[in-house]
Amino acid sequence: MNPLIRKLEHFARLSPGDRTILTRAAAERVRKFSPRVDISREGDRPKDVHLILSGWACRYKQLEDGRRQIVSFFLPGDMCDLNIFILKEMDHSIGTISDVTIADLPREFFDEIGAGYPRIATALWWETLVNAAIQREWTMNLGQRTASERMAHLLCEIFFRLRLAGLTDEQSCEFPLTQADLAEATGLSKVHVNRTLQELRAAKLIVLKGKTLSVPSLERLMDTGLFNANYLHMEHEGSQLDANE
């Protein structure tokens, strides 16, 4: 199933017509990007919403001396800034981490959704609220959690989000992030990231091989990261609504 559809159906039950228009949108205006390039840059004039079809990307801010802070990750099924049309220019950059395929969604698509597809509109509102909740958790991560808690929490979040989109294989998932990426996302030095990952490995909380992350016991990793998945709102009652009502 299209990862966007799978994710949105956790927020509202979609009709066949809803799925058709989302499938159509994901097949039009498709672009491919190599790893470690920008999809859009700070200062650009935004024109479309980018839907991640495959691969991983990130939102980041960068200082003039090159120091960079990753402020969120985009996974398959994610839309980059639903309300981007109101901005005169981008105030952040979006860059790829792996090979990425996106679909550019124009303003007209969202006008069509708003006019005739209320279930999709409801689901997109929920996604916006979840994204805001994720940013709050990232702020808590940077301000209050220890290095081990911070790393474990981030790994739990990524695993849950991938599972929501149907992109995990039991205890494992794709994991193209480097230690430099993790440092820029957690506010830790690369040396500290390396040490923290070694601690999580030694405790048999994670296994990292190549570009695959395995989590032998998700419950133990959640305990280590003080992770509560409630902010992801994965079981919202909207998923039980009848699309024909």
Side-chain angles (χ1 to χ4, degrees):
M1 185 186 295
N2 181 320
L4 173 64
I5 294 175
R6 184 182 179 105
K7 183 176 69 171
L8 293 184
E9 286 202 315
H10 283 268
F11 305 131
R13 188 178 295 259
L14 303 179
S15 70
D18 294 332
R19 298 188 192 99
T20 296
I21 191 172
L22 290 172
T23 300
R24 185 198 74 193
E28 298 176 347
R29 303 182 64 193
V30 173
R31 291 191 289 160
K32 297 180 182 294
F33 293 84
S34 302
R36 309 294 167 179
V37 299
D38 285 332
I39 297 173
S40 60
R41 297 177 180 174
E42 186 169 355
D44 288 351
R45 186 173 184 85
K47 296 179 180 179
D48 302 300
V49 172
H50 307 308
L51 167 63
I52 306 294
L53 300 177
S54 66
W56 292 35
C58 66
R59 177 189 286 118
Y60 70 90
K61 295 280 291 183
Q62 191 163 22
L63 299 176
E64 292 182 0
D65 62 6
R67 285 177 291 165
R68 189 174 81 150
Q69 180 73 42
I70 292 176
V71 296
S72 60
F73 289 118
F74 293 115
L75 306 175
D78 287 343
M79 291 185 183
C80 308
D81 302 306
L82 279 172
N83 300 309
I84 200 68
F85 304 112
I86 67 175
L87 295 182
K88 181 178 180 181
E89 65 177 39
M90 293 287 290
D91 56 25
H92 61 274
S93 299
I94 297 172
T96 63
I97 292 169
S98 63
D99 288 313
V100 167
T101 302
I102 70 169
D104 291 322
L105 307 179
R107 180 192 294 268
E108 292 75 18
F109 167 76
F110 293 96
D111 290 341
E112 184 178 1
I113 293 300
Y117 297 86
R119 297 295 184 188
I120 298 178
T122 297
L124 292 177
W125 272 113
W126 268 102
E127 185 189 30
T128 299
L129 293 172
V130 169
N131 288 338
I134 289 173
Q135 292 300 145
R136 289 191 288 272
E137 283 296 320
W138 277 50
T139 301
M140 175 66 81
N141 235 19
L142 291 172
Q144 297 298 326
R145 293 189 176 97
T146 66
S148 293
E149 292 167 352
R150 202 177 296 187
M151 189 64 65
H153 193 281
L154 178 61
L155 297 179
C156 284
E157 178 184 290
I158 289 172
F159 192 86
F160 271 95
R161 288 174 60 195
L162 288 171
R163 191 164 71 176
L164 190 68
L167 298 172
T168 57
D169 181 12
E170 296 183 354
Q171 297 178 329
S172 300
C173 65
E174 177 189 5
F175 196 78
L177 300 180
T178 65
Q179 292 188 12
D181 295 327
L182 292 171
E184 292 174 347
T186 59
L188 303 171
S189 70
K190 285 184 280 189
V191 172
H192 205 168
V193 166
N194 182 275
R195 185 184 310 126
T196 302
L197 291 175
Q198 293 295 345
E199 291 173 356
L200 296 178
R201 285 190 179 105
K204 301 187 185 305
L205 292 172
I206 63 169
V207 177
L208 279 170
K209 289 185 178 180
K211 294 184 178 180
T212 300
L213 168 69
S214 297
V215 183
S217 173
L218 185 56
E219 291 76 14
R220 288 184 60 218
L221 188 64
M222 291 170 64
D223 289 342
T224 299
L226 308 178
F227 184 86
N228 185 337
N230 65 345
Y231 70 99
L232 297 175
H233 298 281
M234 294 179 293
E235 301 299 333
H236 180 248
E237 62 272 14
S239 63
Q240 305 304 315
L241 293 175
D242 183 350
N244 295 317
E245 288 182 353

